Amino acid sequence: MAAEHDEVPLNAIRVFVAIAREGSVTRAASTLGTTQSSVSRYLAVLQDYLGADLVERRGRRSELTEFGRLFVNTVAEPLDTVCFTAKRMRRRTQADGNRIVVRTSLSTFAHSFLIPNLSAFSAEMGGVIVDVISSLSPPTSSDDFDILITRDLSVIEPADDWEIYNETLVCVGSPNHVTGRSLSIVRSMPILNITSRPDILPTWLRAMNLSTKDIKPGARYDHNYLALPAVMTGKCLLVTPEILVGDLVRGGVLQVLPGSRTPSGMQYRAYAVDRSDKPEIARAFCRWLARLCKKAAILESG
């Protein structure tokens, strides 16, 4: 039993580093893809092993103890090195070398625009498999990806980057409800709210010389891809990046309100990280995506 107790709880250390980086058990659980109770159990195991508290409650908040800060500062970097090395060596020994991993913070962009076009890239590149993962958390050098597509995150490691899209906003609705109507319809028809992009509606309202008092607020959705079915079938409007609804507009499923188009000031970029073990495929993907977005922007302006 004593020998078993002396084994270093490596999984618990990894969980504690996540708690320290994320600032809470809840966010650490989300980052690790597990439950809060599981994270709390790992924390208890590590505290028991070390014989010291690592986290203390301050009102409703949790903060690292002095010992906890000392411990995480000591183990975090070596842990990152171990994880990074293991992932790189694992990928190098995989039989399937014709695969890249694309990570993105733009879930609706991936759902509505990127993924439907991936078969074309695969065909162009002789059957390359593209894995797509979505995360809003800042990437680290130990994360397993070849390409990052983002509008709001930055890469802290060497990478080539491409500007792929300067975001343009439009207000759309079902043709059944907006055909023949002017921009003034926003005063009477609800506009859906996207909580993951709280910047969109205020930016658009300023460009239209409107305020929140001039519109009728509608239902809230976490992401644009959840709101799209609602605006396609309901009596409501959605202010959204035009690239997300371009195919729906051209197919007659949605209609852009005249005069509602405006730049948001946000820029989508693609990064091909230097540590990728398939750098040429990663760079080819970024060049392909830049061409695809340029073509979409031309269709939008036309």
Side-chain angles (χ1 to χ4, degrees):
M1 289 295 292
E4 180 179 327
H5 185 72
D6 284 341
E7 288 185 6
V8 177
L10 293 177
N11 283 336
I13 293 174
R14 176 173 173 262
V15 168
F16 173 65
V17 169
I19 294 172
R21 284 177 171 163
E22 296 298 329
S24 77
V25 168
T26 302
R27 289 194 291 272
S30 177
T31 299
L32 295 169
T34 187
T35 63
Q36 293 182 43
S37 60
S38 177
V39 169
S40 297
R41 286 195 297 272
Y42 274 117
L43 177 60
V45 167
L46 184 58
Q47 290 182 144
D48 181 63
Y49 177 83
L50 295 172
D53 290 336
L54 299 171
V55 176
E56 60 185 358
R57 297 289 296 178
R58 293 286 180 87
R60 294 186 176 181
R61 300 191 319 170
S62 296
E63 294 182 1
L64 298 185
T65 63
E66 183 176 351
F67 185 89
R69 287 190 293 272
L70 174 64
F71 185 75
V72 77
N73 289 339
T74 303
V75 302
E77 187 173 344
L79 181 64
D80 284 345
T81 300
V82 170
C83 292
F84 173 72
T85 303
K87 287 180 179 179
R88 283 296 302 272
M89 294 186 72
R90 173 180 174 269
R91 292 186 65 195
R92 285 173 177 168
T93 58
Q94 286 176 338
D96 187 0
N98 207 29
R99 181 189 297 267
I100 57 173
V101 177
V102 174
R103 172 175 170 152
T104 182
S105 62
L106 309 175
S107 56
T108 304
F109 176 80
H111 175 272
S112 304
F113 184 79
L114 174 63
I115 293 173
N117 286 289
L118 285 181
S119 60
F121 174 75
S122 180
E124 184 178 313
M125 295 296 294
V128 168
I129 298 171
V130 181
D131 296 332
V132 180
I133 56 176
S134 175
S135 176
L136 296 176
S137 61
T140 70
S141 58
S142 62
D143 291 335
D144 186 11
F145 66 93
D146 301 284
I147 297 148
L148 174 69
I149 303 171
T150 184
R151 118 193 123 248
D152 47 5
L153 302 179
S154 58
V155 173
I156 58 173
E157 57 183 299
D160 292 333
D161 67 288
W162 284 258
E163 173 188 316
I164 58 173
Y165 180 64
N166 289 310
E167 190 176 69
T168 299
L169 303 178
V170 289
C171 183
V172 296
S174 165
N176 294 335
H177 302 303
V178 303
T179 298
R181 306 292 294 272
S182 68
L183 194 60
S184 62
I185 193 177
V186 301
R187 298 178 184 273
S188 58
M189 190 175 294
I191 299 182
L192 304 180
N193 195 300
I194 308 301
T195 57
S196 63
R197 286 295 305 272
D199 59 302
I200 281 185
L201 192 53
T203 298
W204 183 80
L205 288 174
R206 285 194 298 271
M208 298 296 113
N209 293 316
L210 296 169
S211 73
T212 54
K213 297 179 181 178
D214 298 318
I215 65 171
K216 185 176 180 180
R220 296 177 181 272
Y221 293 86
D222 284 346
H223 300 284
N224 274 291
Y225 68 82
L226 297 175
L228 285 174
V231 76
M232 286 188 287
T233 59
K235 193 174 183 179
C236 55
L237 303 171
L238 176 65
V239 177
T240 182
E242 189 167 18
I243 198 167
L244 306 182
V245 295
D247 286 344
L248 296 173
V249 170
R250 287 186 288 274
V253 179
L254 290 175
Q255 186 168 313
V256 176
L257 277 177
S260 70
R261 185 177 282 106
T262 185
S264 74
M266 302 295 286
Q267 187 180 79
Y268 299 2
R269 302 192 72 84
Y271 298 84
V273 294
D274 285 3
R275 62 179 165 84
S276 169
D277 53 3
K278 305 173 192 69
E280 291 307 317
I281 297 178
R283 294 186 184 104
F285 178 89
C286 292
R287 290 191 292 268
W288 167 81
L289 183 58
R291 293 194 304 270
L292 186 67
C293 290
K294 183 178 181 179
K295 181 180 177 181
I298 292 172
L299 291 173
E300 291 168 7
S301 62

